[in-house]
Amino acid sequence: FSGDEFSWGDSAYAVTPRMMPIYKKPASDVYENTKYDKAISHVRMHSEHCMGALKGRWQCLRGLRVQINGDEDHVKACRWISVCIILYNLIIDIEGHDAATRLHGCAEEQEDIGDADLGDMYEDERMAEGEGEEKRQRLVQELMDHRAQLRI
């Protein structure tokens, strides 16, 4: 990530300046936070459908378990995935959008949260969590301001 970039996540992730998860209860019961969580869920749903379609077409992505020990390994994994995305888009261009809808049912996507160990957090992680929460609150406020402008 660079600049102010971040990733959306589910509630299994801790909030940091680079990870914006949905709220957990009781914070998720606050009206503004509920709207934020709903907006994120729509983004995540489309992302997960995309991954399911890609894995349905290319089974090699379902078991893409590469050990990333450095920048070179990371670049190779990203290239592998990028090639699959490019080929998928070419298929849609050639076969039409119906090809994409046929692929969505090909692979059952399961959420992989890994081995989430939420044990003791170090001071740096607590600082990152505080900064992340501040950023998430700004995003909630931006969403509410946008909704107010649209009068929804």
Side-chain angles (χ1 to χ4, degrees):
F1 295 108
S2 63
D4 205 29
E5 294 177 338
F6 60 91
S7 179
W8 301 111
D10 64 26
S11 62
Y13 292 94
V15 63
T16 70
R18 299 292 185 208
M19 175 57 64
M20 296 291 119
I22 62 172
Y23 283 93
K24 296 178 184 179
K25 288 199 178 271
S28 65
D29 294 331
V30 175
Y31 174 79
E32 291 84 359
N33 298 349
T34 300
K35 294 299 179 188
Y36 169 85
D37 287 351
K38 187 173 182 179
I40 289 177
S41 71
H42 287 288
V43 172
R44 290 187 65 239
M45 179 185 67
H46 290 291
S47 173
E48 289 173 15
H49 285 179
C50 177
M51 291 307 300
L54 287 169
K55 289 178 179 183
R57 179 62 83 154
W58 286 278
Q59 296 296 310
C60 61
L61 290 178
R62 292 190 81 169
L64 184 61
R65 302 282 193 246
V66 294
Q67 192 170 16
I68 298 178
N69 294 318
D71 290 342
E72 186 177 329
D73 295 332
H74 183 255
V75 169
K76 286 179 184 178
C78 288
R79 283 186 184 150
W80 183 291
I81 295 166
S82 295
V83 166
C84 291
I85 292 169
I86 291 167
L87 291 173
Y88 180 78
N89 286 328
L90 285 172
I91 289 168
I92 291 174
D93 286 347
I94 294 167
E95 296 180 10
H97 286 283
D98 288 341
T101 57
R102 286 193 309 269
L103 293 176
H104 282 282
C106 293
E108 296 222 358
E109 183 66 18
Q110 294 180 348
E111 189 172 346
D112 180 13
I113 61 170
D115 298 325
D117 180 11
L118 303 178
D120 294 333
M121 292 180 11
Y122 297 106
E123 185 62 31
D124 289 345
E125 291 171 337
R126 279 190 276 251
M127 285 179 38
E129 189 173 284
E131 292 170 13
E133 185 56 41
E134 289 175 18
K135 186 175 187 174
R136 183 165 62 173
Q137 288 300 321
R138 285 193 309 271
L139 290 169
V140 169
Q141 188 58 52
E142 287 177 26
L143 174 65
M144 297 312 293
D145 292 346
H146 178 71
R147 289 177 57 83
Q149 287 177 346
L150 297 177
R151 297 173 196 227
I152 54 173

